[in-house]
Amino acid sequence: MMVDTLEDFEQIILFAWIDLNTGQHPDLALAFHVPNGGHRNPQTGAHLKRLGVRPGVPDILLPVARQGFHGLVIELKRTAGGRISEHQKRWLERFQNQNWRAVVCHGADEAIEIIKSYLDI
């Protein structure tokens, strides 16, 4: 298994939990990761930009309407020391303005608790 960063490790834990619990909570099957981050060579970066990749898009989307929101987006950071960029702040605000719950979580455990609370499980 390839793990590039501590954030990758947290996300692997989160999606392992999602996969283990999807049978009991089918809405979890709609959760997905947006692979925007990471270091790429300039040619690949330019190609992805032409394809519509946008800096700062949150890591995880759960397009399930609950609690008066259209869905949940999570910017996942490592448990200690992770900071959000200005691009990430703007994207979270954009989602909030569109009536999505948009949060920053530090670690898989916090993200799991947010998802459980959001889905009332």
Side-chain angles (χ1 to χ4, degrees), residues 12-115:
I12 289 167
I13 293 169
L14 172 61
F15 273 90
W17 176 84
I18 287 170
D19 291 344
L20 284 172
N21 288 280
T22 296
Q24 190 172 0
H25 306 287
D27 287 335
L28 290 171
L30 292 170
F32 63 94
H33 165 62
V34 177
N36 258 13
H39 297 284
R40 297 177 173 94
N41 67 50
Q43 295 84 7
T44 301
H47 179 69
L48 291 173
K49 186 174 181 179
R50 288 190 302 272
L51 289 174
V53 169
R54 302 285 187 250
V57 170
D59 295 310
I60 300 154
L61 277 77
L62 180 60
V64 175
R66 290 286 190 285
Q67 303 177 13
F69 295 105
H70 296 302
L72 171 67
V73 295
I74 296 173
E75 179 59 40
L76 186 62
K77 297 296 180 188
R78 61 186 184 212
T79 55
R83 297 177 319 177
I84 63 171
S85 71
E86 288 302 315
H87 288 294
Q88 291 167 334
K89 286 179 189 177
R90 281 196 293 273
W91 272 102
L92 292 172
E93 289 171 2
R94 289 173 181 152
F95 274 103
Q96 289 169 346
N97 291 339
Q98 294 300 316
N99 204 30
W100 281 63
R101 180 150 186 228
V103 298
V104 176
C105 292
H106 293 275
D109 290 341
E110 186 176 339
I112 290 167
E113 291 308 311
I114 290 289
I115 292 169

Side-chain angles (χ1 to χ4, degrees), residues 1-15 33 37-38 59 76-78 108:
M1 170 175 61
M2 186 173 133
V3 177
D4 290 330
T5 67
L6 293 174
E7 286 180 17
D8 288 354
F9 184 70
E10 295 294 337
Q11 193 156 306
I12 289 167
I13 293 169
L14 172 61
F15 273 90
H33 165 62
D59 295 310
L76 186 62
K77 297 296 180 188
R78 61 186 184 212

